[in-house]
Amino acid sequence: DITLTADAGNRHLGIPGSGARINNSGFSVRPADSYTTIECIEFSGGGTRGFHLPDASPSPNKLVIRYCLVHNHGSEAFRTFGAWDDLQIYGNIVYASGQGIDLDNTPTPTQGLIANNTVYNNGTGGILAGGASPGVVVRNNISLNNGTDFGVPGLSGDSGNNISSDTTAVGHSPAGGGINSAMATSNPATCGTPPCVGFQSLSGPVDLHLISTVYSNVAIDAGFDLSAFIPALDIDTQVRAGAWDIGADEFGATTAVELVSFEALPVEHT
């Protein structure tokens, strides 16, 4: 297996310019090796797409892109060409690109999981597919202000708990939990027209972490527990505990601690 990652002290933690960053201006990231994981890196800039994902040969193949911050690409942030046997895109924040996540799915549909992503303000589309996608589970995603927030025809019946600013989330949540017509706001006190998703900042710089609000922040505690399928971590690689939140961030998550060593010392008795 191949893993491209950033060490713990150089991760972006969902904030642009705060950690390991690849400015792929004029170029796309094109992983073509089977069993590759890309995580915890910021990808930004350029007039082209962020990730250009050709199908990996031979089969079986698997690609995981998780906990990344992907933004400001002129074309798609993610675009597949051909089919993947197991494509997993989860825990990412994607914003300010031409489109968010676009699965080509022709002539053979991709199999995989699109989950717990926050996809915001991408010109003409949030999470899309060019053909029937019965093997793609779309779950726990926030997709707001993207033109068409969800456009994945024939997706898996296990899809659910998606939020959109248009009327596409409920139709893309056959397993339940979908929320239509949500509004993105950075105001913790007032919502305007509910339902609302409260974020830290929607401009200069964008920070799509969830916030505590006076009104009901509909992304909090509204997700489906996917810990049987993916790690229970958010974009900051903090632990999702209890009811999962929808989107890349887990409000009130805790930092994972790894026990490196343990020593038992004898107790003196007098």
Side-chain angles (χ1 to χ4, degrees), residues 6-264:
D7 68 274
N10 289 292
R11 293 179 177 173
H12 56 74
L13 302 181
I15 308 295
S18 63
R21 175 182 176 185
I22 295 176
N23 187 338
N24 48 332
S25 178
F27 298 92
S28 300
V29 179
R30 301 191 179 202
D33 294 301
S34 296
Y35 297 94
T36 296
T37 297
I38 300 172
E39 63 181 20
C40 303
I41 298 173
E42 177 184 358
F43 296 89
S44 66
T48 185
R49 59 184 55 94
F51 285 88
H52 177 118
L53 306 175
D55 57 336
S57 298
S59 184
N61 54 64
K62 180 178 181 179
L63 174 64
V64 177
I65 304 176
R66 61 189 184 186
Y67 320 136
C68 289
L69 185 61
V70 187
H71 61 95
N72 290 98
H73 293 95
S75 189
E76 305 95 337
F78 296 88
R79 175 66 188 271
T80 65
F81 292 86
W84 286 84
D85 298 326
D86 188 0
L87 175 65
Q88 299 185 14
I89 300 176
Y90 61 84
N92 304 284
I93 290 178
V94 183
Y95 68 91
S97 293
Q99 291 182 340
I101 300 169
D102 188 0
L103 310 179
D104 179 50
N105 274 6
T106 54
T108 305
T110 283
Q111 312 291 311
L113 176 67
I114 310 297
N116 280 101
N117 300 287
T118 298
V119 183
Y120 173 72
N121 197 32
N122 297 281
T124 59
I127 299 176
L128 310 172
S133 309
V136 176
V137 176
V138 180
R139 195 131 207 182
N140 290 355
N141 297 284
I142 298 173
S143 185
L144 301 175
N145 296 20
N146 298 295
T148 299
D149 288 322
F150 292 94
V152 184
L155 79 177
S156 168
D158 291 327
S159 300
N161 305 85
N162 296 302
I163 299 176
S164 68
S165 54
D166 59 15
T167 58
T168 57
V170 170
H172 284 76
S173 301
I179 300 173
N180 285 345
S181 305
M183 185 178 79
T185 179
S186 57
N187 189 329
T190 58
C191 170
T193 304
C196 286
V197 181
F199 297 109
Q200 286 285 349
S201 174
L202 298 177
S203 61
V206 171
D207 181 350
L208 298 179
H209 288 87
L210 300 174
I211 58 172
S212 176
T213 56
V214 173
Y215 52 87
S216 173
N217 190 337
V218 295
I220 294 177
D221 292 341
F224 181 81
D225 187 334
L226 292 172
S227 57
F229 308 99
I230 59 177
L233 301 173
D234 73 353
I235 191 164
D236 304 325
T237 62
Q238 292 184 318
V239 177
R240 295 182 183 269
W244 282 37
D245 295 345
I246 298 175
D249 179 46
E250 182 77 8
F251 178 76
T254 57
T255 302
V257 176
E258 179 181 359
L259 182 63
V260 177
S261 64
F262 178 82
E263 182 181 4

